[in-house]
Amino acid sequence: LYCSISNEVPEHPVLSPVSGCVFERRLIEKYISETGNDPVNRQPLTVEQLIDIKTSPIVRPRPPSASSIPAMLKLLQDEWDGVMLHSFTMRQQLQTARQELSHALYQHDAACRVIARLTKEVTAAREALATLKPQAGIAPAAASTPTVAAAPGGALTAEESMDVDAEAPMEITEEVLEKLQQTSVRLTSERKKRGKKNAEGLATPEEIGTYRQTSTHPGLHSASNPGVLALSVNENMGRVVTGGSDKNVVVFERDTEQVVCTLKGHTKKVTSVAYHTTKNVVFSASPDSTVRMWTVADGRCSHLFKAHDGAVTGLSVHATGDYLLTCSADQHWAFSDIQTGRVLTKVTDASIQDELTCAQFHPDGLIFGTGTKDSTVKMWDLKENANVANMPGHSGPISDIAFSENGFYLATAADDSTVKLWDLRKLENFRTIQLEGRYEVKSLSFDKSGNYLAIGGTDIRVYHCKKQWNHLATLTDHTGPVTGVRFGRSASYLVSSSMDRHVKFYGAQ
């Protein structure tokens, strides 16, 4: 008997009643389980229909090829060769699988890069869309050539204007000194009349304590070079001016939440800005060693001040609104006429050969303070162009100074995580606010009433300027260092700028 499938003698022969053929049971059962038919005539067949055939046990003879030792060695050699061929095939398949896996991983990495790029583009598009809201309907300020008022004899070209700016400074005339003196007397008299009465509508300490973020604006400066470095407020107009790492100056209106204009002209980042108190004019200073005066209405640079040979580190507008104070890393401070663009005087202190880091006029305008890189605050008499007092005590460069509107107090900050408060009547430090950790103080600001002091740096903190100098509020909404903080009218709101590119407004809840 021979199996109709294998053509070998079956060990367990069975008969198919459908075709009458003999099969090996294990082979026919497997075939039936897969097809359900007889392999010979393709007719339906089940395992139950198979008929066992009883035969005597079969002893298979040894194959002739395995009847001798050489023949068995040959069989073993053939088996070894087969194993080697199979192993070679498996290695080839493994190499192919590795190549396919490497290609798949490369495609996955490329897809991740594309996704990251698209995500970045979507983020930039969203920021641009957010920018469109405040900038709706505002055309960029046209580039303009700065002009400087001419001396008697006619107008000047832009090139001649620069030459005039670079000329030796003029002297402060008796007429100018008289104007400064009259303004100081008037402001001092007004302050005495006000006395200790709080301004009408001034926010209370309780209201300051409830300050919370009311709006945030991330789209004022470029996202490619983020960081708002300087801030100033015009309370009467409800406008804010900022300077950024993108070399631009931006004027923003709080009520309408719109950008009024973007002013371009500096060749380096803008580190100091000031808004004129009564005119729609802003000033900006930069490490490009220039100070620019901008007319907001038409976006023109009306004056270019080149009083310094180094980076301009601070600026302040005099109480008359007619003069500008600037200081620089070239160790000089300069006093300039806003109307003509002329530098009236330029002074340095030979006793201290160090950079000036900030400058601020006293509210009365006859004295002012400067901070130095060697941690000293210096007080100057404008009429005498002389250093009249020094205030040591800090360690590290002075980062900012601020005079209180009451005319008596001066706040100073340095890279030592402290804010020192000075009584100008006694020229002594009467209180030191020690800030925990490595707190970085970048900005100081008193409100117009002199009742509140805001500190900007690692976060924003507001203090009540009374005997105990109580801490009223801490605002931690910024994700980067705070570079500027200013109070609005009657301390009804607070505005801040930061390296996180946001300008935020805070108000009482």
Side-chain angles (χ1 to χ4, degrees), residues 269-341:
K269 60 187 179 181
V270 179
T271 54
S272 299
V273 293
Y275 214 125
H276 199 285
T277 54
T278 58
K279 299 178 181 178
N280 199 15
V281 170
V282 299
F283 302 88
S284 60
S286 167
D288 63 10
S289 75
T290 66
V291 175
R292 291 175 179 264
M293 174 178 168
W294 307 88
T295 305
V296 176
D298 55 13
R300 293 178 59 253
C301 176
S302 52
H303 287 312
L304 177 63
F305 300 87
K306 291 182 68 67
H308 298 285
D309 300 321
V312 183
T313 54
L315 57 83
S316 179
V317 180
H318 192 268
T320 59
D322 295 331
Y323 304 103
L324 182 69
L325 171 69
T326 58
C327 67
S328 169
D330 65 4
Q331 305 173 11
H332 289 76
W333 60 262
F335 183 71
S336 304
D337 189 324
I338 291 174
Q339 302 298 325
T340 64

Side-chain angles (χ1 to χ4, degrees), residues 124-141:
R126 285 175 177 170
E127 291 180 350
L129 184 60
T131 305
L132 290 178
K133 179 182 177 182
Q135 291 186 340
I138 303 300

Side-chain angles (χ1 to χ4, degrees), residues 317-453:
V317 180
H318 192 268
T320 59
D322 295 331
Y323 304 103
L324 182 69
L325 171 69
T326 58
C327 67
S328 169
D330 65 4
Q331 305 173 11
H332 289 76
W333 60 262
F335 183 71
S336 304
D337 189 324
I338 291 174
Q339 302 298 325
T340 64
R342 289 274 187 173
V343 178
L344 300 184
T345 188
K346 182 177 178 181
V347 179
T348 187
D349 184 358
S351 65
I352 299 180
Q353 297 296 321
D354 220 327
E355 300 177 8
L356 301 183
T357 57
C358 55
Q360 184 70 45
F361 272 119
H362 185 272
D364 291 347
L366 283 183
I367 62 172
F368 64 89
T370 60
T372 64
K373 199 171 183 180
D374 71 345
S375 71
T376 302
V377 177
K378 304 174 75 66
M379 299 301 298
W380 298 81
D381 185 327
L382 187 57
K383 293 188 296 182
E384 301 297 332
N385 289 344
N387 175 211
V388 294
N390 292 328
M391 298 177 176
H394 282 290
S395 59
I398 303 298
S399 56
D400 199 13
I401 63 175
F403 287 96
S404 171
E405 187 64 26
N406 65 16
F408 303 143
Y409 296 152
L410 170 67
T412 62
D415 291 350
D416 55 5
S417 302
T418 63
V419 174
K420 291 184 178 294
L421 298 159
W422 306 81
D423 190 328
L424 298 177
R425 295 164 294 186
K426 303 176 183 179
L427 292 178
E428 65 178 22
N429 172 215
F430 67 90
R431 181 174 293 273
T432 298
I433 300 175
Q434 182 66 53
L435 302 166
E436 69 279 358
R438 293 295 302 163
Y439 194 101
E440 296 183 53
V441 184
K442 299 293 186 182
S443 179
L444 299 172
S445 178
F446 285 96
D447 76 304
K448 286 297 183 182
S449 69
N451 279 272
Y452 305 110
L453 171 66

Side-chain angles (χ1 to χ4, degrees), residues 194 197-203 449 489-492:
R194 288 197 302 268
K197 295 180 180 179
N198 289 335
E200 185 178 352
L202 179 68
S449 69
R489 182 189 290 273
S490 301
S492 58

